Amino acid sequence: MNLIISNSSMEPIYEQIIRQIKSMIIDGKLKEGTVLPSVRILSKDLKISALTVKKAYDCLEQDGFIITVHGKGSFVAQNNKNLLQEEQKRKVESMLELAIQAGRHCGMKEKEIRELFELILEE
């Protein structure tokens, strides 16, 4: 698994891991039942604390993206289409919020932003 960790990012390392693994699952790069690297192996590969990886895996499990079987490891959970769709919607919502903030930052009025949004939807 190819994860890229940025120590200079404002995003905590465990959240970088979560984001990238979720993205791989949503994009279909990690299929249902795929074995994830053990906490120790991933922490060694990324040169980070095992506790950081454990925290990321715990969050992924809590969100329903992976399951952990004691003594066997962590696996990509059975695809829950509703869960994946909800995650994708959150991603789109986040991007739209950024676009609106960028528009407001450069002085666009709400009406202009709506018109631009409608224009893009028509394409």
Side-chain angles (χ1 to χ4, degrees):
M1 184 166 31
N2 188 19
L3 298 177
I4 299 168
I5 301 301
S6 171
N7 290 321
S8 61
S9 172
M10 296 297 288
E11 182 181 32
I13 292 173
Y14 81 96
E15 287 181 3
Q16 293 178 48
I17 294 169
I18 293 168
R19 178 177 41 78
Q20 291 179 60
I21 292 176
K22 277 184 179 181
S23 180
M24 285 186 241
I25 293 170
I26 290 168
D27 295 343
K29 293 176 184 166
L30 288 176
K31 305 280 186 213
E32 175 184 327
T34 301
V35 180
L36 298 177
S38 72
V39 169
R40 278 193 212 130
I41 289 173
L42 189 56
S43 67
K44 185 184 267 188
D45 288 349
L46 298 175
K47 297 175 178 55
I48 60 173
S49 166
L51 293 174
T52 302
V53 175
K54 174 82 170 101
K55 184 173 183 177
Y57 278 18
D58 287 347
C59 290
L60 286 164
E61 187 166 21
Q62 189 174 24
D63 290 346
F65 282 89
I66 68 171
I67 56 169
T68 301
V69 179
H70 187 70
K72 302 248 185 210
S74 296
F75 304 84
V76 175
Q78 182 178 8
N79 286 340
N80 178 338
K81 290 207 181 273
N82 292 335
L83 178 67
L84 295 178
Q85 286 177 334
E86 197 58 39
E87 189 67 27
Q88 288 172 326
K89 286 179 186 177
R90 274 188 257 155
K91 193 185 247 185
V92 170
E93 185 178 310
S94 172
M95 290 188 290
L96 287 171
E97 285 176 358
L98 288 173
I100 291 167
Q101 288 174 2
R104 287 180 176 156
H105 183 72
C106 71
M108 292 177 73
K109 303 287 185 214
E110 186 174 315
K111 183 179 177 187
E112 293 173 303
I113 294 171
R114 286 181 191 276
E115 288 171 356
L116 182 58
F117 182 75
E118 291 294 327
L119 181 67
I120 292 170
L121 276 177
E122 290 173 6
E123 293 178 356

